[in-house]
Amino acid sequence: MAGSTTSEQPSAAGGRPGRPLIVTEDPALLDDLLRLCAAAGATPEVRHGPPERGGGWEAAPLVLVGDDAARRLRGTPRSGGVVLVGRDQDDPGVWRRAVEIGADHVLMLPDGEQWLVDRIADVAEGVGRPALTVGVIGGRGGAGASTLACALAVTSAREGLRTLLVDADPLGGGLDILLGGETADGLRWPAFAASRGRVGSGALEESLPELHALRVLSWDRGDCLAIAPQAVRAVLAAARRRGGTVVVDLPRRTDDGVAEILAQLDLGILVVPAELRAVAAAGRVASAVGMVLRDLRVAVRGPYAPGLDDHEVARLLGLPLAGELPVESGLSRVADGKEPPGAGGRGPLARFCKDFWERALVEAGAA
């Protein structure tokens, strides 16, 4: 069981890694907390009595106070990041003691173990602002969504942002191929099929192929065509914790795994060619995706059918306009053996992507 008493504070100032502090004289509780710290990949500092002013008490990004030590810490100044840990779920006085020591949360073992492991792991990894996460989906087949997703990721990396490109479509042929890295060393989706609980964000990033200054999570050439929703949730959550940007190339279907991704997106881009059949097909895609994703915008790709322009397509779909995708060779086809979309930083597609990130990062407060 875990509960809040005040607003949650950042794990570490400025997102820098730090050591959690444990304060308890209960040997059994200390053993449990050390075990949970080990599971989260953190090495804590341990105090058995009231801390001295300054030092670890004030500097630690997270303080785990055993309920046995709460009375001795009453009135000790601390600006957040304190968790009161106990075992007696029927003790009504625990909330009063939590307020007296300025605790953010009250947690009872063993029920709250997973929550506490996640919180400690955030401290160990130096979690700051989560990545701005953008999904790209085609309004119909061949709309150019995969190419746009690659171009957005390449542009983000070129601008100096930590960038991860996620291929969520097992039937799409593999974004690593589009980036020219099908033989690059690193893990693909099937390696994470058994993931449960929390995936370490640093370990995830280091395990993936690095192509064009970004990391890529794609599919291999094997028979695995689906990943359990729990694994999808854990992997994407780990990707987002590293900050920067995450770009996801989405399939045009919505199963449980895709729903897990949609729930973690900050915004989506629906790529729609400016023709009536494509608009009709995109309407169905938008209806399905919009059930989970609140911020879905349309990017319109020419050439335009008679009577259509980008604003009219957006009006017909009832979606905000993300912009007009330029007509450029290679937007809707794999650039066989050539540099990936947007890699040169020149041309209308690269300019579209640069303008998109400038607006989106300002909107997200990340610029």
Side-chain angles (χ1 to χ4, degrees):
M1 181 186 77
S4 299
T5 61
T6 63
S7 61
E8 185 169 336
Q9 300 293 323
S11 302
R16 293 186 298 273
R19 296 178 62 192
L21 171 65
I22 298 174
V23 182
T24 183
E25 293 182 358
D26 181 337
L29 180 60
L30 177 59
D31 286 345
D32 282 338
L33 293 178
L34 290 174
R35 172 176 56 82
L36 297 177
C37 285
T43 302
E45 178 183 354
V46 178
R47 297 287 181 89
H48 297 289
E52 300 175 357
R53 288 186 60 84
W57 173 256
E58 295 179 2
L62 179 66
V63 179
L64 309 178
V65 177
D67 195 26
D68 66 287
R71 290 181 178 86
R72 298 191 300 278
L73 295 174
R74 187 182 304 161
T76 305
R78 165 79 195 191
S79 58
V82 178
V83 178
L84 181 62
V85 185
R87 298 184 187 279
D88 186 358
Q89 301 193 24
D90 297 322
D91 179 7
V94 68
W95 297 98
R96 173 179 51 79
R97 294 191 292 277
V99 171
E100 289 173 347
I101 67 172
D104 301 315
H105 291 83
V106 173
L107 181 138
M108 294 297 170
L109 299 179
D111 292 354
E113 286 193 356
Q114 186 58 58
W115 181 92
L116 188 55
V117 169
D118 289 346
R119 184 73 185 272
I120 297 169
D122 284 344
V123 170
E125 292 180 317
V127 172
R129 182 190 296 273
L132 177 59
T133 306
V134 178
V136 185
I137 187 168
R140 65 153 169 80
S146 295
T147 305
L148 177 59
C150 286
L152 286 170
V154 168
T155 302
S156 171
R158 191 174 61 248
E159 294 296 314
L161 296 171
R162 174 186 285 119
T163 305
L164 175 61
L165 176 61
V166 178
D167 184 356
D169 186 0
L171 301 180
L175 292 187
D176 52 352
I177 294 178
L178 186 56
L179 291 171
E182 61 270 26
T183 62
D185 291 335
L187 300 182
R188 268 67 173 179
W189 265 119
F192 301 97
S195 299
R196 299 293 185 274
R198 183 186 180 97
V199 174
S201 58
L204 172 67
E205 182 175 349
E206 293 172 4
S207 71
L208 300 177
E210 183 174 9
L211 304 169
H212 307 282
L214 59 94
R215 298 285 180 168
V216 182
L217 176 54
S218 190
W219 297 84
D220 61 14
R221 313 285 90 82
D223 296 331
C224 179
L225 297 178
I227 303 295
Q230 308 96 295
V232 173
R233 182 192 314 128
V235 169
L236 190 58
R240 298 187 72 233
R241 286 197 302 271
R242 294 294 284 177
T245 67
V246 175
V247 180
V248 185
D249 182 27
L250 294 162
R252 293 176 58 244
R253 67 179 192 282
T254 51
D255 56 21
D256 290 343
V258 174
E260 291 288 351
I261 294 175
L262 293 174
Q264 296 195 53
L265 295 181
D266 294 304
L267 64 94
I269 301 176
L270 180 64
V271 182
V272 183
E275 55 190 48
L276 289 177
R277 286 189 63 193
V279 173
R284 294 192 174 189
V285 175
S287 178
V289 170
M291 295 177 66
V292 181
L293 178 60
R294 293 182 178 273
D295 190 352
L296 180 63
R297 311 176 191 183
V298 59
V300 183
R301 179 169 66 84
Y304 292 97
L308 289 180
D309 60 20
D310 52 348
H311 293 281
E312 179 63 10
V313 171
R315 187 192 68 80
L316 290 171
L317 292 172
L319 295 174
L321 181 63
E324 179 184 8
L325 276 176
V327 177
E328 182 174 340
S329 177
L331 181 61
S332 60
R333 63 177 176 83
V334 173
D336 297 324
K338 300 179 182 178
E339 67 176 17
R346 300 176 301 277
L349 177 59
R351 288 193 296 272
F352 173 92
C353 294
K354 187 174 187 299
D355 291 344
F356 169 82
W357 285 124
E358 288 178 352
R359 295 193 306 270
L361 290 168
V362 168
E363 290 173 9

